Amino acid sequence: MSQAEVRRISQYFEEMVASRPGGCRLPPFNLIFDEADPGRFRNYAIPSAGTDATAEDLSKLIAEFRRRDRTPRFEFIPELAPQLGVLLRRGGFVEEGVLPLMAYRGGAFDFTSSEISTCFATSRSALSEAAQIQHAAFGDGAIVQADVDRLLRLVDEGGLVALARAKSGKAVGSGLVTRPFAGVAELAGLGVSQEHRRRGVGRQVANFLARTSQAQDVSLLFLTAAGDDEARMYEAIGFETIGACLHAHLPPLPSPRRQQNATRCSGHPDNASDEHSMLSASQADLMGMDQ
C-alpha cells in the first residue's frame, strides 16, 4: 500500500466535501448532505486523517444527521482512523463492507468493442440517459431533475461523464470521473443496463474514463470496488489495490409500535428483538463512554 497515495486520497475527500453545496465540517468529521436525495449513499461522513474521534464527537454527528432526517453513515479509510471502527461498533453502527481501494496504474490494452461506442455526455439529454442507466443499475428507481442537475454540475466543474451506446444508439452503460483536486480524482457511478451486462461494457466505459483522465493530467485516479469480482475486472484494465475503504451506517431504532409488538410476541420485555436490544445497549454505551 502506498501511504502517500492513501493520504492524497484522504486530502481529496476533504477538498471534495468543502467544494460541495451540501458539504460541511463538524470536526473531526467532514459531512456530505444531499438535499434532494435522502438515500444513505449520498449522505455520509468522512473523518479527517490522523484524528481520533471521541464518543462525544460521534454523538454530535449522529444528532446532526438526525436533525437533517438522514441516516448516520461513514465512508473512510480505516488505516487513517484506526480507532473509529471500534467507536462505531460500540455506537451500534452496522458494517456494510470493507471494500478494495484501487488506484490506476495505466492499462496495456484498449478494451474497445465494435458493438459498443463510448463518448462523453455533456448535454442535458445525454446526461439524463446517463442518470437513467446509473439509477437502473443501482436500483434507485426513476430519476428526478436533481439527478441530472448533479451531473451537469459535475461536468461544469471539470468532471467527466461517459456514455456507452449500442449500434442501435441505445444508451447501455455509463460512468463518471469527479473533478480533480491536486491531481486526484475518483472513478465512480459505473453502471450497465441489465440486458448488456457481462458483455464487457462496464470494462470499456471504465477503461475509456481512466485513459482520458490520465491524458488530462490526473496523476492519481482511484475507485472503491464493490467487491472482489469487481476488483478483478478493474485489475484487468490497469487498477491496483492499495488499501481498503470501510462503509458503515447506524440503523434506525424500531418505532414504539414495533418495539411493543416484539414485547407482545416474546411475552416479556427482556426477550424483545435481539437486534433492538443490542442496538439500544450500544447507543447507551456510546453516550456514557469515557472520553
Side-chain angles (χ1 to χ4, degrees):
M1 178 191 304
S2 168
Q3 287 284 342
E5 287 179 320
V6 170
R7 289 194 173 276
R8 286 182 68 193
I9 292 171
S10 177
Q11 184 61 40
Y12 158 87
F13 282 134
E14 294 197 38
E15 296 287 349
M16 180 265 294
V17 170
S19 72
R20 283 198 179 181
C24 64
R25 284 272 298 159
L26 185 63
F29 305 121
N30 305 281
L31 314 183
I32 298 174
F33 294 109
D34 191 310
E35 293 185 4
D37 188 344
R40 71 172 190 254
F41 297 110
R42 291 200 184 276
N43 301 270
Y44 54 94
I46 302 167
S48 295
T51 58
D52 291 326
T54 65
E56 182 180 2
D57 294 330
L58 188 56
S59 296
K60 290 178 180 178
L61 177 140
I62 292 171
E64 181 64 18
F65 271 79
R66 297 299 193 211
R67 185 181 72 81
R68 295 172 181 258
D69 196 25
R70 298 292 188 266
T71 298
R73 185 173 182 270
F74 278 88
E75 293 186 6
F76 69 101
I77 301 171
E79 183 176 350
L80 300 183
Q83 298 305 313
L84 182 57
V86 176
L87 190 66
L88 295 182
R89 283 192 293 274
R90 290 179 179 176
F93 278 72
V94 173
E95 184 179 293
E96 299 168 8
V98 180
L99 310 180
L101 181 66
M102 310 184 76
Y104 186 60
R105 302 306 191 202
F109 303 102
D110 183 9
F111 294 93
T112 302
S113 166
S114 60
E115 300 296 317
I116 301 294
S117 63
T118 313
C119 62
F120 291 116
T122 56
S123 67
R124 176 171 282 274
S125 60
L127 291 171
S128 177
E129 290 180 284
Q132 289 171 352
I133 290 291
Q134 292 171 353
H135 272 238
F138 298 117
D140 290 338
I143 66 169
V144 296
Q145 180 176 327
D147 298 313
V148 183
D149 291 343
R150 193 181 295 112
L151 293 180
L152 274 170
R153 184 170 61 250
L154 182 145
V155 171
D156 288 343
E157 292 174 347
L160 304 172
V161 178
L163 198 59
R165 295 188 185 277
K167 282 187 173 181
S168 64
K170 181 181 179 181
V172 297
S174 180
L176 62 85
V177 170
T178 61
R179 165 192 176 187
F181 291 96
V184 182
E186 180 179 12
L187 192 156
L190 190 66
V192 178
S193 63
Q194 182 69 41
E195 64 273 20
H196 282 80
R197 290 176 188 172
R198 300 192 180 279
R199 299 188 188 182
V201 176
R203 183 172 59 182
Q204 181 169 329
V205 172
N207 184 65
F208 175 75
L209 286 168
R211 283 172 171 259
T212 303
S213 298
Q214 192 174 53
Q216 294 184 353
D217 296 327
V218 171
S219 58
L220 177 55
L221 179 67
F222 75 95
L223 60 82
T224 304
D228 292 338
D229 289 343
E230 290 79 6
R232 282 189 287 271
M233 185 273 285
Y234 289 119
E235 286 173 354
I237 64 172
F239 281 85
E240 176 187 39
T241 299
I242 62 170
C245 189
L246 191 152
H247 294 184
H249 71 277
L250 182 65
L253 288 170
S255 66
R257 178 174 294 181
R258 284 181 58 195
Q259 185 176 351
Q260 188 177 46
N261 288 342
T263 303
R264 286 198 189 110
C265 291
S266 63
H268 192 280
D270 290 341
N271 295 324
S273 163
D274 287 344
E275 178 183 359
H276 175 244
S277 299
M278 290 174 64
L279 184 59
S280 298
S282 297
Q283 290 183 336
D285 182 46
L286 169 64
M287 300 307 175
M289 193 185 306
D290 290 336
Q291 302 294 309

